[in-house]
Amino acid sequence: MIRHLYVHIPFCARICPYCAFYKDLLDRSQTRRFCDAILRELEQHQGGAISRSPRRTGEHRSLSVPSTIYFGGGTPTALNMAQLEFLLRGFHERLDLSELVEWTIEANPGSVSARKAAVLKKFGINRISLGVQSWDDQLLKLLGREHNARQAEESFSTLRAAGFTNINVDLMFGLPGQTIDQWRLTLDKTIALEPDHVSAYCLTYEEDTEFFMRHASGEFPQDPDADTEFFELAMSMLETAGYEHYEISNYARPGFASVHNRAYWLGKDYLGIGPSAVSTVGVRRWQNVCDYRSYIERLVSGESTCASSENLTDEMKRTERIALSLRTGDGVRASDLKPFAQQTNEFIALGLLQKSNGNFVLTRKGKAVADSIAEAFL
């Protein structure tokens, strides 16, 4: 039985120049049709209608009783209140939510209001991931964000006032021209607000983005030493403030680690709904078409939304398990690293890896070069 559901809502009021996820400018004339399509795809999968390869095999898995749901994007809260209410009610009507422990929605500060927060709360959303990115207005402008620092703080307060007791604040570091003092102030401001969870990501220059082109041209150079300094400052300040560094980019107060994201890192089966969404069930992985108009038309005409699929080999699953587990506080199983005894011993000697509870985990020093260590095992 699949217990984890991801829903991709690609609409954005503005396209951020660094974002590589599938997204499109908000088109109010299409959003109701899109919500209809999401619910139609959910119906196709609901109650045992999920196959490991959509419409290709007879193997079915049920998603009638999910334990986590995650609405990502794009900007799910770019939908208006009527559309959000329609979509959320549709999930309640189609799924048994009696065992749901976490329902997350990503929100941009520019699209949060007291009335919208009340709708989310009413329909059972219990975790908000707020895309603040920075508390510096100049950096927010560089990132193409539609909000400023004041709006972000107001949005956080609005969500707290609506009764949300599990709020994540998304931050970014390693931005073009960003100073260590700017990053320290952003961390100070975040800690002062006392969110329940903090995600702190280093900017990566992804292909097919404006930032990638500016990086390739030399306008936005990358400084690995500075990125390491930003990362180490985040670890130090957030851990001192009582947050557990339970995954390379994620920090949580006790009891507030993301249940949904942990499922990914542990290699659990999950279903993705919406344009570009990826699903992994058993040894099958597939991705929906990366265009919401085509996605809608396929569902209306009864065609599969699947654009590509693959079988995962044992080696692929082992490699993924190592790469993901190594990023977490629990670490990677010792048995998975048996074929890499030499590399493992070298990393232990260098103080980058250590044994803990039968697993190998990154040391504080090792966390700063996690990707390089993972590559040695792949």
Side-chain angles (χ1 to χ4, degrees):
M1 178 181 289
I2 301 172
R3 304 299 300 275
H4 308 284
L5 174 63
Y6 173 78
V7 182
H8 192 75
I9 300 172
F11 302 117
C12 292
R14 182 184 298 177
I15 301 299
C16 296
Y18 59 86
C19 179
F21 293 111
Y22 168 64
K23 68 278 181 189
D24 211 324
L25 287 172
L26 183 64
D27 182 347
R28 292 292 181 194
S29 69
Q30 296 295 317
T31 46
R32 178 54 188 259
R33 291 185 73 222
F34 174 80
C35 291
D36 281 328
I38 288 286
L39 294 179
R40 187 173 299 209
E41 188 186 3
L42 181 63
E43 287 173 356
Q44 287 183 354
H45 294 310
Q46 191 239 354
I50 299 169
S51 70
R52 289 190 178 181
S53 177
R55 298 174 182 256
R56 296 185 188 182
T57 77
E59 299 180 52
H60 299 290
R61 297 289 185 91
S62 172
L63 183 84
S64 55
V65 191
S67 60
T68 69
I69 302 175
Y70 193 108
F71 278 23
T75 310
T77 52
L79 298 175
N80 64 33
M81 286 196 302
Q83 291 156 354
L84 280 170
E85 189 163 348
F86 171 77
L87 193 58
L88 295 172
R89 180 176 285 112
F91 274 70
H92 277 270
E93 292 170 349
R94 290 161 177 80
L95 296 171
D96 176 355
L97 302 180
S98 62
E99 296 183 21
L100 190 69
V101 296
E102 183 183 276
W103 193 344
T104 301
I105 190 168
E106 292 180 352
N108 275 355
S111 60
V112 171
S113 68
R115 293 177 64 199
K116 194 172 285 187
V119 167
L120 299 179
K121 185 71 175 172
K122 171 186 173 183
F123 282 96
I125 303 287
N126 59 12
R127 184 174 184 270
I128 306 289
S129 185
L130 191 64
V132 174
Q133 314 310 354
S134 175
W135 296 104
D136 184 283
D137 283 340
Q138 286 302 113
L139 290 176
L140 288 172
K141 186 176 180 181
L142 172 73
L143 290 171
R145 305 297 288 176
E146 62 172 337
H147 69 274
N148 57 35
R150 177 186 56 79
Q151 289 173 314
E153 185 171 3
E154 289 174 354
S155 295
F156 185 90
S157 298
T158 296
L159 292 168
R160 280 291 196 228
F164 287 100
T165 58
N166 191 352
I167 301 177
N168 170 60
V169 168
D170 251 355
L171 302 175
M172 294 178 67
F173 62 86
L175 308 179
Q178 185 181 27
T179 66
I180 195 69
D181 286 337
Q182 286 174 314
W183 181 231
R184 182 179 288 105
L185 288 172
T186 280
L187 291 169
D188 274 332
K189 176 67 174 179
T190 301
I191 291 167
L193 286 175
E194 300 183 342
D196 312 284
H197 189 286
V198 178
S199 296
Y201 299 101
C202 183
L203 172 68
T204 56
Y205 292 96
E206 304 282 359
E207 287 191 37
D208 300 321
T209 66
E210 178 189 326
F211 268 28
F212 179 82
M213 298 300 294
R214 296 173 77 173
H215 171 62
S217 72
E219 182 184 357
F220 286 169
Q222 198 157 19
D223 185 344
D225 291 336
D227 291 345
T228 297
E229 188 179 2
F230 287 131
F231 177 64
E232 289 177 345
L233 183 63
M235 280 195 291
S236 175
M237 291 182 64
L238 290 169
E239 288 175 355
T240 299
Y243 292 89
E244 177 194 358
H245 190 197
Y246 73 103
E247 196 271 345
I248 289 294
S249 301
N250 290 279
Y251 306 77
R253 292 200 181 281
F256 288 95
S258 170
V259 181
H260 185 86
N261 287 339
R262 271 191 181 276
Y264 290 146
W265 302 327
L266 292 172
K268 303 289 187 182
D269 288 346
Y270 60 90
L271 175 71
I273 286 179
S276 82
V278 174
S279 302
T280 301
V281 181
V283 298
R284 295 291 298 168
R285 176 168 294 158
W286 66 90
Q287 182 174 22
N288 280 347
V289 61
C290 296
D291 178 270
Y292 80 84
R293 295 173 183 83
S294 175
Y295 170 80
I296 292 171
E297 295 308 319
R298 288 189 184 206
L299 283 160
V300 169
S301 62
E303 297 178 54
S304 171
T305 57
C306 178
S308 62
S309 64
E310 64 177 335
N311 281 321
L312 302 176
T313 65
D314 289 342
E315 178 63 18
M316 291 166 69
K317 290 177 75 73
R318 183 195 64 79
T319 296
E320 251 183 33
R321 187 168 60 247
I322 291 174
L324 293 174
S325 298
L326 198 59
R327 293 177 59 90
T328 69
D330 294 328
V332 61
R333 295 183 312 203
S335 58
D336 281 332
L337 295 189
K338 273 188 177 179
F340 306 97
Q342 181 180 341
Q343 294 96 317
T344 301
N345 290 332
E346 288 176 358
F347 288 134
I348 291 173
L350 290 169
L352 304 175
L353 209 59
Q354 64 187 13
K355 199 80 174 285
S356 175
N357 298 320
N359 291 354
F360 286 105
V361 299
L362 294 172
T363 63
R364 189 181 188 83
K365 181 180 174 184
K367 290 176 181 178
V369 287
D371 290 342
S372 298
I373 295 173
E375 285 176 10
F377 297 129
L378 306 184

